[in-house]
Coordinates of all heavy atoms in Angstrom, one line a residue:
M1 N -0.1 -5.6 -3.8 CA -0.4 -4.8 -4.9 C -1.8 -5.1 -5.4 O -2.2 -6.3 -5.4 CB 0.7 -5.0 -6.1 CG 0.3 -4.1 -7.3 SD 1.9 -3.9 -8.2 CE 1.3 -4.0 -9.9
L2 N -2.5 -4.0 -5.9 CA -3.9 -4.2 -6.4 C -3.9 -5.1 -7.6 O -3.0 -5.1 -8.5 CB -4.5 -2.9 -6.7 CG -4.8 -2.0 -5.7 CD1 -5.4 -0.6 -6.3 CD2 -5.9 -2.5 -4.7
T3 N -5.0 -6.0 -7.8 CA -5.1 -6.6 -9.1 C -5.7 -5.5 -10.1 O -6.2 -4.5 -9.6 CB -6.1 -7.8 -9.1 OG1 -7.3 -7.3 -8.7 CG2 -5.6 -8.8 -8.0
C4 N -5.6 -5.8 -11.4 CA -6.2 -4.9 -12.3 C -7.7 -4.7 -12.1 O -8.2 -3.6 -12.3 CB -6.0 -5.3 -13.8 SG -4.3 -5.2 -14.3
K5 N -8.4 -5.8 -11.8 CA -9.8 -5.6 -11.5 C -10.1 -4.8 -10.3 O -11.0 -3.9 -10.3 CB -10.2 -7.1 -11.2 CG -11.7 -7.4 -11.6 CD -12.1 -8.8 -11.5 CE -13.5 -8.8 -10.9 NZ -13.9 -10.1 -10.3
E6 N -9.3 -4.9 -9.2 CA -9.4 -4.0 -8.0 C -9.2 -2.5 -8.5 O -9.8 -1.6 -8.0 CB -8.6 -4.4 -6.9 CG -8.9 -5.8 -6.2 CD -8.0 -6.3 -5.4 OE1 -6.8 -6.1 -5.7 OE2 -8.3 -6.9 -4.4
Q7 N -8.2 -2.3 -9.3 CA -7.8 -1.2 -9.7 C -8.9 -0.4 -10.5 O -9.2 0.8 -10.2 CB -6.5 -1.3 -10.5 CG -6.1 -0.2 -11.4 CD -5.7 1.1 -10.7 OE1 -5.1 0.9 -9.7 NE2 -6.0 2.2 -11.3
V8 N -9.5 -1.2 -11.6 CA -10.5 -0.7 -12.3 C -11.7 -0.2 -11.4 O -12.4 0.8 -11.6 CB -10.9 -1.7 -13.4 CG1 -12.3 -1.3 -14.0 CG2 -9.9 -1.7 -14.4
A9 N -12.1 -1.1 -10.4 CA -13.2 -0.8 -9.6 C -12.9 0.5 -8.8 O -14.0 1.2 -8.4 CB -13.4 -1.9 -8.5
R10 N -11.7 0.9 -8.5 CA -11.5 2.1 -7.8 C -11.3 3.3 -8.7 O -11.1 4.5 -8.2 CB -10.2 2.0 -7.0 CG -10.4 1.1 -5.8 CD -9.0 0.7 -5.1 NE -9.0 0.2 -3.9 CZ -9.5 -1.2 -3.7 NH1 -9.8 -1.9 -4.7 NH2 -9.6 -1.6 -2.4
S11 N -11.2 3.1 -10.0 CA -10.8 4.2 -10.9 C -11.7 5.4 -10.9 O -11.1 6.6 -10.8 CB -10.8 3.7 -12.5 OG -9.9 2.5 -12.5
S12 N -13.0 5.2 -10.9 CA -13.8 6.4 -10.9 C -13.7 7.3 -9.5 O -13.7 8.4 -9.6 CB -15.2 6.1 -11.3 OG -16.0 5.7 -10.1
D13 N -13.7 6.4 -8.5 CA -13.4 7.2 -7.2 C -12.1 7.9 -7.2 O -12.0 8.9 -6.5 CB -13.4 6.2 -6.0 CG -14.9 5.7 -5.7 OD1 -15.8 6.4 -6.2 OD2 -15.1 4.7 -5.1
Y14 N -11.0 7.2 -7.7 CA -9.7 7.8 -7.7 C -9.8 9.2 -8.5 O -9.3 10.2 -8.0 CB -8.8 6.9 -8.5 CG -7.5 7.4 -8.8 CD1 -6.5 7.8 -7.6 CD2 -7.0 7.7 -9.9 CE1 -5.3 8.2 -7.9 CE2 -5.8 8.3 -10.2 CZ -4.9 8.5 -9.2 OH -3.7 9.0 -9.5
L15 N -10.5 9.1 -9.6 CA -10.7 10.5 -10.4 C -11.5 11.5 -9.7 O -11.3 12.6 -9.9 CB -11.1 10.0 -11.8 CG -10.2 9.3 -12.8 CD1 -10.9 8.8 -14.1 CD2 -8.9 10.1 -13.0
D16 N -12.4 10.9 -9.1 CA -13.3 11.9 -8.3 C -12.6 12.4 -7.0 O -13.2 13.2 -6.3 CB -14.7 11.3 -7.9 CG -15.5 11.1 -9.3 OD1 -15.2 11.8 -10.3 OD2 -16.4 10.3 -9.1
G17 N -11.5 11.9 -6.6 CA -10.9 12.2 -5.4 C -11.6 11.6 -4.2 O -11.5 12.3 -3.1
Q18 N -12.3 10.6 -4.3 CA -13.1 10.0 -3.3 C -12.4 8.9 -2.3 O -12.9 8.4 -1.4 CB -14.3 9.2 -3.8 CG -15.2 10.2 -4.6 CD -16.1 11.1 -3.8 OE1 -16.6 10.8 -2.8 NE2 -16.1 12.4 -4.2
L19 N -11.1 8.6 -2.8 CA -10.4 7.5 -2.2 C -9.7 8.0 -0.9 O -9.4 9.3 -0.8 CB -9.4 6.9 -3.1 CG -9.8 6.1 -4.3 CD1 -8.7 5.6 -5.1 CD2 -10.8 5.1 -3.8
T20 N -9.5 7.1 0.1 CA -8.7 7.5 1.3 C -7.2 7.7 0.8 O -6.9 7.1 -0.3 CB -8.7 6.4 2.3 OG1 -8.2 5.2 1.7 CG2 -10.2 6.1 2.8
F21 N -6.3 8.2 1.7 CA -5.0 8.4 1.3 C -4.3 7.2 1.0 O -3.6 7.0 0.0 CB -4.3 9.1 2.5 CG -2.8 9.4 2.3 CD1 -2.5 10.3 1.3 CD2 -1.9 8.6 3.0 CE1 -1.1 10.5 1.1 CE2 -0.6 8.9 2.8 CZ -0.2 9.8 1.8
R22 N -4.6 6.1 1.8 CA -4.0 4.8 1.5 C -4.4 4.1 0.2 O -3.5 3.6 -0.4 CB -4.4 3.9 2.7 CG -3.6 2.6 2.9 CD -3.8 1.9 4.2 NE -3.1 0.6 4.1 CZ -3.8 -0.4 3.6 NH1 -5.1 -0.3 3.4 NH2 -3.2 -1.7 3.5
E23 N -5.7 4.2 0.0 CA -6.2 3.7 -1.3 C -5.6 4.4 -2.5 O -5.3 3.8 -3.5 CB -7.8 3.9 -1.4 CG -8.4 2.8 -0.5 CD -10.0 3.1 -0.6 OE1 -10.4 4.2 -0.4 OE2 -10.8 2.1 -0.7
R24 N -5.5 5.8 -2.4 CA -4.9 6.4 -3.5 C -3.5 6.0 -3.7 O -3.0 5.9 -4.9 CB -4.9 7.9 -3.1 CG -5.2 8.9 -4.3 CD -5.7 10.2 -3.8 NE -5.0 10.8 -2.8 CZ -5.4 11.5 -1.8 NH1 -6.7 11.6 -1.6 NH2 -4.7 12.1 -0.8
L25 N -2.7 5.8 -2.7 CA -1.3 5.3 -2.8 C -1.4 4.0 -3.4 O -0.4 3.8 -4.3 CB -0.7 5.2 -1.4 CG -0.2 6.5 -0.8 CD1 0.5 6.0 0.5 CD2 0.8 7.2 -1.7
M26 N -2.2 3.1 -3.1 CA -2.2 1.8 -3.8 C -2.6 1.9 -5.3 O -2.0 1.2 -6.0 CB -3.3 0.9 -3.0 CG -2.9 0.5 -1.6 SD -3.9 -0.9 -0.9 CE -5.5 -0.5 -1.4
V27 N -3.5 2.8 -5.6 CA -3.8 3.0 -6.9 C -2.6 3.7 -7.8 O -2.2 3.1 -8.8 CB -5.0 4.0 -7.2 CG1 -5.2 4.4 -8.6 CG2 -6.4 3.3 -6.6
R28 N -1.9 4.6 -7.1 CA -0.8 5.1 -7.8 C 0.2 4.0 -8.0 O 0.9 4.1 -9.0 CB -0.1 6.3 -7.0 CG -1.1 7.5 -6.9 CD -0.4 8.8 -7.1 NE -1.3 9.9 -7.1 CZ -1.5 10.8 -6.1 NH1 -0.7 10.8 -5.2 NH2 -2.3 11.7 -6.2
H29 N 0.5 3.3 -6.9 CA 1.5 2.2 -7.1 C 1.1 1.2 -8.2 O 2.1 0.9 -9.0 CB 1.5 1.5 -5.7 CG 2.6 0.6 -5.6 ND1 2.4 -0.8 -5.6 CD2 4.0 0.7 -5.5 CE1 3.6 -1.5 -5.5 NE2 4.6 -0.6 -5.5
H30 N -0.1 0.9 -8.3 CA -0.4 0.0 -9.3 C -0.2 0.7 -10.7 O 0.3 0.0 -11.7 CB -1.9 -0.4 -9.2 CG -2.3 -1.4 -10.3 ND1 -2.6 -2.7 -10.0 CD2 -2.8 -1.2 -11.6 CE1 -2.9 -3.3 -11.1 NE2 -3.0 -2.4 -12.0
L31 N -0.7 1.9 -10.9 CA -0.5 2.7 -12.1 C 1.0 2.7 -12.6 O 1.2 2.7 -13.7 CB -1.1 4.0 -12.0 CG -2.7 4.0 -11.9 CD1 -3.1 5.5 -11.8 CD2 -3.3 3.5 -13.0
M32 N 1.9 2.8 -11.7 CA 3.2 3.0 -11.8 C 3.8 1.7 -12.5 O 4.6 1.8 -13.4 CB 4.0 3.1 -10.5 CG 5.1 4.2 -10.6 SD 6.0 4.2 -9.1 CE 4.7 4.7 -7.8
F33 N 3.2 0.6 -12.3 CA 3.7 -0.7 -12.8 C 2.8 -1.3 -13.9 O 3.1 -2.3 -14.4 CB 3.9 -1.7 -11.6 CG 5.0 -1.3 -10.8 CD1 4.7 -0.7 -9.6 CD2 6.2 -1.5 -11.1 CE1 5.7 -0.4 -8.6 CE2 7.3 -1.2 -10.3 CZ 7.0 -0.5 -9.1
C34 N 1.7 -0.7 -14.1 CA 0.8 -1.3 -15.0 C 0.3 -0.4 -16.2 O -0.6 0.4 -16.0 CB -0.5 -1.8 -14.2 SG -1.6 -2.6 -15.4
P35 N 1.0 -0.5 -17.3 CA 0.7 0.4 -18.4 C -0.9 0.3 -18.9 O -1.4 1.3 -19.3 CB 1.6 -0.1 -19.6 CG 2.4 -1.1 -19.0 CD 2.0 -1.5 -17.6
N36 N -1.5 -1.0 -18.8 CA -2.9 -1.1 -19.2 C -3.7 -0.2 -18.4 O -4.6 0.5 -19.0 CB -3.2 -2.5 -19.1 CG -2.7 -3.4 -20.1 OD1 -2.3 -2.9 -21.2 ND2 -2.3 -4.7 -19.8
C37 N -3.6 -0.2 -17.0 CA -4.5 0.6 -16.2 C -4.1 2.0 -16.3 O -5.0 2.8 -16.2 CB -4.2 0.2 -14.8 SG -5.1 -1.5 -14.5
R38 N -2.8 2.4 -16.7 CA -2.5 3.8 -16.9 C -3.3 4.3 -18.1 O -3.9 5.4 -18.1 CB -1.1 3.9 -17.2 CG -0.2 4.4 -16.0 CD 1.1 5.0 -16.3 NE 1.9 4.5 -17.3 CZ 2.9 3.4 -17.1 NH1 3.0 3.1 -15.8 NH2 3.6 3.0 -17.9
R39 N -3.3 3.5 -19.1 CA -4.1 3.9 -20.3 C -5.6 3.9 -20.1 O -6.2 4.9 -20.4 CB -3.9 2.9 -21.5 CG -4.3 3.3 -22.9 CD -4.0 2.4 -23.9 NE -2.6 1.7 -23.7 CZ -2.5 0.4 -23.9 NH1 -3.5 -0.4 -24.1 NH2 -1.3 -0.1 -23.7
F40 N -6.2 3.1 -19.2 CA -7.5 3.0 -18.8 C -7.9 4.3 -18.1 O -8.9 5.1 -18.3 CB -7.8 1.8 -18.0 CG -9.2 1.8 -17.5 CD1 -10.2 1.3 -18.4 CD2 -9.5 2.0 -16.3 CE1 -11.5 1.3 -18.0 CE2 -10.8 2.0 -15.8 CZ -11.8 1.6 -16.5
I41 N -7.1 4.6 -17.1 CA -7.2 5.8 -16.4 C -7.2 7.0 -17.2 O -8.0 8.1 -17.0 CB -6.2 6.0 -15.2 CG1 -6.5 5.1 -14.1 CG2 -6.1 7.4 -14.7 CD1 -7.5 5.7 -13.0
R42 N -6.3 7.0 -18.1 CA -6.1 8.3 -19.1 C -7.5 8.4 -19.8 O -8.0 9.6 -20.0 CB -4.9 8.2 -19.9 CG -4.5 9.6 -20.4 CD -3.1 9.4 -20.9 NE -2.9 8.3 -21.8 CZ -1.9 7.5 -22.0 NH1 -0.9 7.6 -21.1 NH2 -1.8 6.5 -22.9
Q43 N -8.0 7.3 -20.3 CA -9.2 7.3 -21.1 C -10.3 7.8 -20.3 O -11.3 8.6 -20.7 CB -9.4 6.1 -21.8 CG -8.6 5.9 -23.1 CD -8.6 4.4 -23.5 OE1 -9.1 3.4 -22.8 NE2 -8.0 4.1 -24.7
M44 N -10.4 7.2 -19.0 CA -11.5 7.7 -18.2 C -11.6 9.1 -17.9 O -12.6 9.8 -17.8 CB -11.4 6.8 -16.9 CG -12.4 5.6 -17.0 SD -12.5 4.9 -15.3 CE -13.8 5.9 -14.7
R45 N -10.3 9.6 -17.6 CA -10.2 11.1 -17.3 C -10.6 11.9 -18.4 O -11.3 12.9 -18.3 CB -8.7 11.4 -16.9 CG -8.5 12.7 -16.3 CD -7.0 12.9 -15.9 NE -6.7 12.2 -14.6 CZ -5.5 11.8 -14.3 NH1 -4.5 11.9 -15.2 NH2 -5.3 11.2 -13.2
L46 N -10.1 11.4 -19.6 CA -10.6 12.3 -20.9 C -12.1 12.2 -21.0 O -12.7 13.3 -21.4 CB -10.0 11.5 -22.1 CG -9.6 12.4 -23.2 CD1 -8.4 13.2 -22.8 CD2 -9.3 11.5 -24.4
M47 N -12.8 11.1 -20.8 CA -14.1 10.9 -20.9 C -14.8 11.9 -19.9 O -15.8 12.6 -20.2 CB -14.6 9.5 -20.7 CG -16.0 9.2 -21.3 SD -16.3 7.6 -21.3 CE -16.6 7.3 -19.6
Q48 N -14.3 11.8 -18.6 CA -14.9 12.7 -17.5 C -14.9 14.2 -18.0 O -15.8 14.9 -17.8 CB -14.2 12.4 -16.2 CG -14.6 11.3 -15.5 CD -14.3 11.3 -14.1 OE1 -13.4 12.1 -13.7 NE2 -14.9 10.5 -13.2
A49 N -13.7 14.6 -18.5 CA -13.5 15.9 -18.8 C -14.4 16.4 -19.9 O -15.0 17.4 -20.0 CB -12.0 16.1 -19.3
T50 N -14.6 15.4 -20.9 CA -15.5 15.6 -22.1 C -16.9 15.9 -21.5 O -17.6 16.8 -21.9 CB -15.4 14.6 -23.0 OG1 -14.1 14.4 -23.3 CG2 -16.3 14.9 -24.3
L51 N -17.4 14.9 -20.5 CA -18.7 14.9 -20.1 C -19.0 16.2 -19.3 O -20.1 16.7 -19.4 CB -18.9 13.7 -19.2 CG -19.2 12.4 -19.9 CD1 -19.3 11.3 -18.8 CD2 -20.4 12.4 -20.8
K52 N -18.0 16.7 -18.5 CA -18.1 17.9 -17.8 C -18.3 19.1 -18.6 O -18.9 20.2 -18.3 CB -16.8 18.1 -16.9 CG -17.2 17.6 -15.5 CD -16.0 17.9 -14.5 CE -15.9 16.8 -13.5 NZ -14.6 16.3 -13.2
M53 N -17.7 19.0 -19.9 CA -17.9 20.2 -20.8 C -19.2 20.2 -21.4 O -19.7 21.3 -21.8 CB -16.7 20.1 -21.9 CG -15.5 20.8 -21.4 SD -14.1 20.2 -22.5 CE -14.9 20.2 -24.1
L54 N -19.9 19.2 -21.4 CA -21.2 19.2 -22.0 C -22.2 19.7 -21.1 O -22.3 19.4 -19.8 CB -21.6 17.7 -22.3 CG -20.9 17.1 -23.4 CD1 -21.4 15.7 -23.5 CD2 -21.1 17.7 -24.8
P55 N -23.1 20.7 -21.4 CA -24.2 21.2 -20.7 C -25.1 20.1 -20.2 O -25.4 19.1 -21.0 CB -24.9 22.3 -21.5 CG -24.4 22.0 -22.8 CD -23.2 21.2 -22.8
D56 N -25.6 20.2 -18.9 CA -26.7 19.2 -18.5 C -27.9 19.3 -19.3 O -28.5 18.3 -19.5 CB -26.9 19.5 -17.0 CG -25.8 19.2 -16.2 OD1 -24.9 18.3 -16.6 OD2 -25.7 19.7 -15.0
E57 N -28.4 20.4 -19.6 CA -29.6 20.6 -20.4 C -29.3 21.4 -21.7 O -29.5 22.7 -21.7 CB -30.7 21.3 -19.6 CG -31.0 20.4 -18.3 CD -31.9 21.3 -17.4 OE1 -33.0 21.3 -17.6 OE2 -31.2 21.9 -16.5
P58 N -28.8 20.7 -22.7 CA -28.3 21.4 -23.9 C -29.5 22.3 -24.5 O -29.1 23.4 -24.9 CB -28.0 20.3 -24.9 CG -27.9 19.0 -24.1 CD -28.7 19.3 -22.8
V59 N -30.7 21.9 -24.4 CA -31.6 22.5 -25.2 C -32.0 24.0 -24.4 O -32.1 25.0 -25.1 CB -33.1 21.7 -25.3 CG1 -34.2 22.6 -25.9 CG2 -32.7 20.5 -26.1
K60 N -32.1 23.9 -23.1 CA -32.3 25.0 -22.3 C -31.3 26.0 -22.3 O -31.5 27.2 -22.6 CB -32.5 24.6 -20.9 CG -33.6 25.5 -20.0 CD -33.9 24.8 -18.7 CE -33.6 25.6 -17.6 NZ -33.7 25.1 -16.3
E61 N -30.0 25.5 -22.4 CA -28.8 26.3 -22.6 C -28.9 27.1 -23.8 O -28.6 28.3 -24.0 CB -27.6 25.5 -22.4 CG -27.4 24.8 -21.1 CD -26.4 25.7 -20.3 OE1 -25.4 26.1 -20.8 OE2 -26.6 25.7 -19.1
A62 N -29.2 26.4 -24.9 CA -29.2 27.0 -26.2 C -30.4 28.0 -26.3 O -30.1 29.1 -26.9 CB -29.5 25.9 -27.3
D63 N -31.5 27.8 -25.6 CA -32.6 28.8 -25.6 C -32.1 30.0 -24.9 O -32.4 31.2 -25.3 CB -33.7 28.2 -24.9 CG -34.5 27.3 -25.9 OD1 -34.2 27.3 -27.0 OD2 -35.4 26.6 -25.4
A64 N -31.4 29.9 -23.7 CA -31.0 31.0 -23.0 C -30.0 31.8 -23.8 O -30.0 33.0 -23.7 CB -30.3 30.5 -21.7
L65 N -29.1 31.1 -24.4 CA -28.1 31.7 -25.3 C -28.8 32.6 -26.4 O -28.5 33.8 -26.6 CB -27.1 30.8 -25.7 CG -25.9 31.4 -26.5 CD1 -25.0 32.0 -25.5 CD2 -25.2 30.3 -27.4
A66 N -29.8 32.0 -27.1 CA -30.5 32.6 -28.1 C -31.2 33.9 -27.6 O -31.2 35.0 -28.2 CB -31.4 31.7 -28.8
A67 N -31.8 33.8 -26.4 CA -32.5 34.9 -25.8 C -31.5 36.0 -25.5 O -31.9 37.2 -25.7 CB -33.2 34.5 -24.5
R68 N -30.4 35.6 -25.1 CA -29.4 36.7 -24.7 C -28.9 37.3 -25.9 O -28.7 38.6 -25.9 CB -28.2 36.1 -23.8 CG -27.7 37.0 -22.8 CD -26.6 36.4 -22.0 NE -25.5 36.0 -22.8 CZ -24.6 35.0 -22.5 NH1 -24.9 34.3 -21.5 NH2 -23.7 34.6 -23.3
L69 N -28.7 36.6 -26.9 CA -28.2 37.1 -28.2 C -29.2 38.1 -28.7 O -28.9 39.2 -29.3 CB -27.8 36.1 -29.2 CG -26.7 35.3 -28.9 CD1 -26.4 34.3 -29.9 CD2 -25.4 36.2 -28.9
A70 N -30.5 37.7 -28.6 CA -31.6 38.4 -29.2 C -31.7 39.9 -28.5 O -31.8 40.9 -29.0 CB -32.9 37.7 -29.1
A71 N -31.5 39.7 -27.1 CA -31.6 40.9 -26.2 C -30.4 41.9 -26.6 O -30.6 43.1 -26.7 CB -31.5 40.4 -24.7
E72 N -29.2 41.3 -26.8 CA -28.1 42.1 -27.2 C -28.4 42.9 -28.5 O -28.0 44.0 -28.6 CB -26.8 41.2 -27.3 CG -26.5 40.5 -26.0 CD -25.5 41.2 -25.3 OE1 -24.5 41.7 -25.9 OE2 -25.6 41.2 -24.0
R73 N -28.8 42.1 -29.4 CA -29.1 42.7 -30.7 C -30.1 43.8 -30.6 O -30.0 44.9 -31.2 CB -29.7 41.7 -31.6 CG -29.3 42.0 -33.1 CD -29.6 40.9 -34.1 NE -29.2 39.6 -33.5 CZ -30.0 38.5 -33.8 NH1 -31.1 38.5 -34.6 NH2 -29.7 37.3 -33.3
L74 N -31.2 43.6 -29.7 CA -32.1 44.7 -29.5 C -31.5 46.0 -28.9 O -31.9 47.1 -29.3 CB -33.2 44.3 -28.6 CG -34.3 43.3 -29.3 CD1 -35.3 42.9 -28.3 CD2 -35.0 44.0 -30.5
K75 N -30.5 45.8 -28.2 CA -29.9 46.8 -27.3 C -29.1 47.7 -28.3 O -29.0 48.9 -28.2 CB -28.9 46.3 -26.3 CG -29.0 47.0 -25.0 CD -28.3 46.3 -23.8 CE -27.0 45.7 -24.2 NZ -26.4 44.8 -23.2
D76 N -28.6 47.2 -29.3 CA -27.7 47.8 -30.4 C -28.5 48.7 -31.3 O -28.1 49.6 -31.9 CB -26.9 46.8 -31.2 CG -25.7 46.3 -30.3 OD1 -25.5 46.9 -29.2 OD2 -25.1 45.2 -30.7
Q77 N -29.8 48.2 -31.5 CA -30.6 49.0 -32.5 C -31.1 50.3 -32.0 O -31.3 50.6 -31.0 CB -31.9 48.1 -32.8 CG -31.4 47.0 -33.8 CD -32.6 46.1 -34.1 OE1 -33.6 46.0 -33.4 NE2 -32.4 45.0 -34.9
Ligands
ZN101 ZN1 -3.4 -2.9 -13.9

């Protein structure tokens, strides 16, 4: 069985789906028996999901949105 340290080292690859089938099984096996790592993985997954929701370039996105809204408003007039 993996140690917690080995498990943590594989966590981000696990979440990204980068592990081989065998490694994935080892990670799942460890998670089954280790509540600490389960919690860790859950937090990591949550953080990844949050990061994905954030735009890469917030300012540019906001500008584009503002421009689109302005265009829409012009269309209505
Ligand atoms: Zn563990």
Side-chain angles (χ1 to χ4, degrees):
M1 182 156 139
L2 294 173
T3 64
C4 287
K5 211 174 143 198
E6 290 170 326
Q7 160 71 32
V8 165
R10 285 166 170 77
S11 293
S12 85
D13 282 346
Y14 173 69
L15 290 173
D16 289 342
Q18 303 285 317
L19 294 181
T20 63
F21 180 67
R22 194 166 166 273
E23 284 177 315
R24 215 157 52 224
L25 279 185
M26 289 193 324
V27 168
R28 290 223 178 112
H29 187 249
H30 183 102
L31 289 176
M32 230 188 289
F33 293 100
C34 182
N36 288 332
C37 286
R38 262 204 312 269
R39 197 177 317 133
F40 178 77
I41 281 274
R42 204 164 50 219
Q43 280 166 355
M44 263 191 89
R45 190 179 280 151
L46 209 73
M47 196 171 79
Q48 275 197 345
T50 309
L51 285 178
K52 261 183 212 145
M53 272 161 43
L54 294 174
D56 287 337
E57 300 166 83
V59 176
K60 214 166 123 190
E61 295 261 319
D63 279 354
L65 190 68
R68 212 176 64 210
L69 287 176
E72 300 264 316
R73 207 174 317 148
L74 281 178
K75 221 163 47 187
D76 286 344
Q77 281 170 354

